Amino acid sequence: QVQLVESGGGLVQAGGSLRLSCAASGSNINAMGWYRQTPGKQRDLVAIITRDGNTNYADSVKGRFTISRDNAKNTVYLQMNSLKPEDTAVYVCTAALTYGVTYWAKGTLVTVSS
């Protein structure tokens, strides 16, 4: 069983920055990352990082968001810069174990005002 605890969401003006954090309990964690979801839409990948440090980003956030992780702390971070109103969403942390099981956090709301 893995538990994920998120922090860092909130309200920011367009052009501003926020940093999300997600700490995972447990072991055998491989990839960690973030998805986001708005009402009536599917959950979309924002960024993901493997234990080896390989990353993948959605095209819409490339150059603005940076994902990183501290393996010793089982924590993943998402630094979000140059935020736009269209980045407004519930950001959900995810952790995938080495044997394929995936866990999801409850989500944290990010609101970007214009």
Side-chain angles (χ1 to χ4, degrees), residues 26-50:
S27 57
N28 297 310
I29 296 173
N30 183 13
M32 296 185 72
W34 298 88
Y35 282 69
R36 65 186 180 187
Q37 189 167 20
T38 54
K41 294 187 178 181
Q42 68 179 20
R43 186 176 292 179
D44 292 324
L45 174 70
V46 177
I48 198 160
I49 184 168
T50 67

Side-chain angles (χ1 to χ4, degrees), residues 78-102:
L78 185 68
Q79 178 65 44
M80 304 185 292
N81 298 329
S82 302
L83 283 160
K84 305 175 181 179
E86 50 264 44
D87 293 318
T88 295
V90 174
Y91 285 69
V92 184
C93 174
T94 183
L97 304 188
T98 54
Y99 47 88
V101 178
T102 300

